[in-house]
Amino acid sequence: EDLRQFCDAISDLFPSLLKPLVELMFCLVSVSRLAGLKPVGGMAGYLVVALAIMRAAMPGLGRLTALESTKEGRLQWVHSRIRVHAEAMAFFGGGSKEELVATNRLDDLIRQMGKRLFAKWKYDIVHGAVIREAPFLVQWLVRNEYGQRAYADDKAVVADQGVGLAS
């Protein structure tokens, strides 16, 4: 059974790891043939910079979520204690003290949820800029470099009245 699981894991390695690397190398070689090495260096530079920015911007969501769960558990414990001891609290007049404790625990939980959501919001903004929008800029730069390299002289474009640009 262990051997079977090992073979399945190894067979999944190609599609999940090797195939994207091969496709990336094919893309880089194709771009270098069309537009030269400058755009390939720019694309590789973008990938490195994007990786560094995303790594630096990554919040500790695991830690924040764990703290939130701890605070939520404490609040639930206070509520269960109030349910169990409600009669004694009413008889001895401890309701205001327990209300203060429960309110403080709720406020702690709300603050922690706000911290987690704010960290995720900041990360989503960086993610949107670096991962969704910046590739369009890199693509534009690569196309511009290709255009300058392939059509540096307007004489060829004017000679065929721009028909060669459509193909």
Side-chain angles (χ1 to χ4, degrees):
E1 185 64 30
D2 290 340
L3 182 61
R4 183 182 195 96
Q5 288 177 349
F6 175 74
C7 291
D8 288 343
I10 292 297
S11 66
D12 288 341
L13 185 65
F14 176 74
S16 64
L17 180 67
L18 216 51
K19 187 172 181 261
L21 289 175
V22 169
E23 288 175 354
L24 177 67
M25 293 306 296
F26 176 75
C27 175
L28 292 178
V29 168
S30 298
V31 169
S32 70
R33 285 184 182 166
L34 287 174
L37 292 177
K38 186 176 175 183
V40 172
M43 289 169 56
Y46 161 74
L47 290 174
V48 170
V49 169
L51 174 68
I53 290 172
M54 294 307 296
R55 187 89 170 145
M58 176 105 30
L61 288 179
R63 181 182 52 82
L64 293 172
T65 304
L67 277 170
E68 184 178 324
S69 295
T70 301
K71 291 181 187 277
E72 187 174 357
R74 289 178 182 164
L75 178 64
Q76 288 175 355
W77 179 78
V78 167
H79 276 272
S80 68
R81 192 182 72 197
I82 290 172
R83 277 193 305 266
V84 170
H85 301 292
E87 186 178 337
M89 283 182 231
F91 184 73
F92 293 113
S96 61
K97 174 71 174 158
E98 292 300 322
E99 179 185 5
L100 181 64
V101 170
T103 303
N104 287 340
R105 295 287 166 94
L106 179 62
D107 290 344
D108 285 348
L109 176 60
I110 290 171
R111 274 192 299 276
Q112 185 60 38
M113 289 173 77
K115 286 179 185 177
R116 181 183 57 81
L117 291 173
F118 185 67
K120 185 172 179 342
W121 176 73
K122 289 191 308 187
Y123 177 74
D124 287 345
I125 288 173
V126 172
H127 183 269
V130 172
I131 301 300
R132 291 190 210 132
E133 300 300 326
F136 292 116
L137 177 61
V138 172
Q139 179 187 30
W140 181 82
L141 292 171
V142 169
R143 285 181 175 189
N144 186 33
E145 186 65 31
Y146 170 72
Q148 288 178 358
R149 182 177 171 154
Y151 302 103
D153 187 10
D154 287 343
K155 292 176 187 169
V157 177
V158 173
D160 70 351
Q161 297 176 349
V163 175
L165 294 174
S167 59

